Amino acid sequence: MASFSLGRRRVLPGFAPTLGFTLFYLSLIVLVPLAAVFLKSSGHGWDAFWAAATSPRVMASYKLSFGASLIAAAINLVFGLILAWCIVRYEFPGKKLVDALIDLPFALPTAVAGIALTALYAPNGWVGSLFAPGGALAFLFGPDGTKIAFTPLGILLALIFIGLPFIVRTVQPVLEDMETELEEAAASLGAQRWTTFRYVVLPTLLPALLTGFALAFARAVGEYGSVIFIAGNIPMVSEITPLMIISKLEQYDYVGATAIATVMLIVSFVLLLIINGLQAWTSKRGAR
């Protein structure tokens, strides 16, 4: 009995107090604030909520915020995988420096990132001037060139910048634990590189890729500091939804602010639920 009881000992307390503390902490930090948003938005009637949440200007901000976040997360999904693959599988000069620079968006204040991106991609910036009228690369977009900063394209670049580390840091440990012998065995059996990647590598990486995608998307949807400077904040063109919430609060329109926040919360939760469902499905499929 003594050996059995010792084998059942745990460093943390038992299930009941641990679960109770977990639920209490989760409720205090997450559930109570979210419930307050729902209660505040529903306290003024359905008509006021619907009018505030579906005005043309707010609908344009939904389209831009969620659309740009999905596109940025999808782009990071591809290039984040390539970057993680290069760091894990190859040796090259400056590898440790590149690995450290990936975490820069985590450590850099978002306002600093926004100012730096704006200075870089503005029409008179180092990169933006190349695509402005008369620039060296303006011909790629016609005689008038194109404008990057203060447009939805600038917002997309900012969201790519802040979301890339989530993909790389989620995929990197999975790649490090993956046995290269599986790829060598597939190659010895005559499989081409794409076939090996599709049927050997990708099924193992898919759950991590979906997790990184969900994290990058969630970060991009709520991003404010790095986007607000490069967006331009032109109504119906480059206004993001978090900016609309701030504008409503500055006007003391708490009904409008909580209505928009509620819509963002619901849509984000549904999208994350779908992504987590796909992740669980791929994990079960890979375990078969």
Side-chain angles (χ1 to χ4, degrees):
M1 287 294 292
S3 61
F4 178 76
S5 61
L6 288 176
R8 295 291 299 275
R9 289 188 63 184
R10 299 290 186 268
V11 175
L12 294 177
F15 174 75
T18 304
L19 179 62
F21 177 79
T22 301
L23 294 178
F24 171 76
Y25 187 80
L26 181 65
S27 300
L28 186 64
I29 301 299
V30 179
L31 298 182
V32 173
L34 296 184
V37 172
F38 280 102
L39 292 175
K40 184 69 176 179
S41 61
S42 62
H44 298 274
W46 171 253
D47 293 336
F49 174 87
W50 184 258
T54 60
S55 65
R57 190 172 173 182
V58 174
M59 293 296 292
S61 73
Y62 293 151
K63 183 179 179 180
L64 177 60
S65 291
F66 288 104
S69 297
L70 285 172
I71 295 173
I75 294 174
N76 281 330
L77 192 68
V78 176
F79 291 98
L81 172 60
I82 296 174
L83 186 55
W85 185 279
C86 291
I87 292 175
V88 173
R89 294 299 177 88
Y90 300 106
E91 295 292 335
F92 54 89
K95 176 180 177 180
K96 292 184 178 180
L97 178 61
V98 173
D99 193 23
L101 287 176
I102 292 173
D103 294 327
L104 185 61
F106 286 151
L108 195 66
T110 55
V112 175
I115 294 173
L117 291 172
T118 304
L120 188 63
Y121 291 103
N124 59 348
W126 290 349
V127 178
S129 60
L130 298 176
F131 299 94
L137 301 178
F139 69 92
L140 296 175
F141 298 91
D144 296 330
T146 188
K147 191 177 182 181
I148 299 178
F150 317 123
T151 66
L153 181 57
I155 296 174
L156 180 63
L157 289 174
L159 297 182
I160 292 173
F161 174 79
I162 58 99
L164 180 63
F166 291 97
I167 304 291
V168 177
R169 294 311 184 204
T170 306
V171 175
Q172 189 174 351
V174 180
L175 276 174
E176 291 174 347
D177 293 337
M178 185 182 298
E179 298 178 356
T180 57
E181 288 80 3
L182 297 175
E183 302 167 41
E184 295 171 355
S188 66
L189 293 174
Q192 300 294 326
R193 292 184 177 181
W194 170 247
T195 304
T196 302
F197 175 78
R198 180 180 178 184
Y199 292 102
V200 178
V201 178
L202 187 58
T204 304
L205 294 180
L206 196 54
L209 286 171
L210 290 175
T211 301
F213 181 88
L215 292 173
F217 169 75
R219 170 68 188 275
V221 167
E223 181 62 20
Y224 179 80
S226 62
V227 177
I228 194 65
F229 295 100
I230 200 172
N233 310 320
I234 303 173
M236 306 293 293
V237 176
S238 59
E239 278 186 329
I240 58 174
T241 306
L243 175 63
M244 295 300 302
I245 296 176
I246 296 296
S247 300
K248 296 289 185 181
L249 291 175
E250 290 177 347
Q251 299 168 9
Y252 301 100
D253 184 6
Y254 300 113
V255 177
T258 53
I260 299 172
T262 302
V263 173
M264 282 197 70
L265 179 62
I266 294 174
V267 176
S268 300
F269 180 77
V270 171
L271 290 175
L272 291 176
L273 188 64
I274 294 173
I275 295 172
N276 288 333
L278 289 174
Q279 180 185 358
W281 178 74
T282 54
S283 299
K284 292 180 181 179
R285 185 180 179 184
R288 293 178 181 175

